[in-house]
Amino acid sequence: DKTYIETQSKKEFTEKINDSNKMNQKIIYENLNFIDAIKICLNKYAVFNGRARRSEYWYFILFIWVSALLLGFIEGFSGSFAYTNQSVFAIIFEIAIFIPGLAVTARRLHDVNKSGWWQLIAITLIGIIPLVIWMATEGTKKNNPYGKPIKIKN
């Protein structure tokens, strides 16, 4: 349920997200910060439709990388699973966060008017190049088949 709300100073794009308790949450996409981006991506755990802003996508990727790195350090310093070359905690975290990562990538591709299936080109190593370019590109400013634009003009 997407609506535009007119305030005295600016237009804020809000989206109501149903959480597990069926309560409505209001998320403001104006000045999206790190914590809000993570909340949005985890609330939309397996939502592959709609659009995602660049900041939402890149903050979530940063969250994944930093969390995996910290889990690896914690495991290394604690001596847990010393017989393995890989961080078991980080691997478990990455498995748990795999679906939301795919979902936010699909929504980010929708923002640049591409199908979410384009993320499969990352399987070919050369395909990572256009994927990163698309992820860094500003989304379309008009409606596209995946929904209305998210970024608000002030």
Side-chain angles (χ1 to χ4, degrees):
D1 182 14
K2 297 178 181 179
T3 59
Y4 283 97
I5 296 175
E6 188 82 32
T7 62
Q8 292 177 353
S9 60
K10 61 184 174 183
K11 289 182 181 177
E12 296 174 343
F13 182 71
T14 62
E15 182 174 351
K16 293 180 182 177
I17 297 175
N18 292 326
D19 64 7
S20 59
N21 298 329
K22 300 293 183 193
M23 297 174 61
N24 288 332
Q25 294 177 338
K26 182 175 162 184
I27 297 175
I28 299 172
Y29 282 89
E30 190 76 21
N31 301 324
L32 187 67
N33 64 27
F34 183 74
I35 301 298
D36 289 339
I38 294 166
K39 286 179 184 177
I40 290 169
C41 291
L42 293 178
N43 281 331
K44 294 182 174 183
Y45 189 88
V47 177
F48 289 86
N49 57 356
R51 294 167 71 161
R53 287 178 62 178
R54 280 185 293 187
S55 56
E56 178 183 340
Y57 174 78
W58 288 111
Y59 278 146
F60 192 67
I61 295 301
L62 179 65
F63 165 71
I64 292 171
W65 284 39
V66 169
S67 298
L69 185 68
L70 288 175
L71 287 170
F73 280 132
I74 290 169
E75 186 175 315
F77 285 124
S78 69
S80 304
F81 305 105
Y83 54 89
T84 64
N85 290 335
Q86 300 292 326
S87 169
V88 175
F89 294 151
I91 291 172
I92 292 170
F93 170 76
E94 289 170 2
I95 290 170
I97 212 77
F98 181 72
I99 299 295
L102 288 177
V104 74
T105 303
R107 291 193 311 271
R108 180 71 202 123
L109 285 167
H110 291 169
D111 196 38
V112 294
N113 206 15
K114 304 275 185 228
S115 169
W117 290 103
W118 276 103
Q119 60 189 308
L120 291 176
I121 66 170
I123 294 170
T124 68
L125 295 179
I126 196 73
I128 294 173
I129 295 168
L131 202 56
V132 169
I133 291 170
W134 291 332
M135 296 296 119
T137 303
E138 185 177 3
T140 56
K141 296 180 186 202
K142 297 182 178 180
N143 292 351
N144 68 22
Y146 307 103
K148 294 181 180 180
I150 292 173
K151 197 165 188 179
I152 298 299
K153 295 178 191 176
N154 287 334

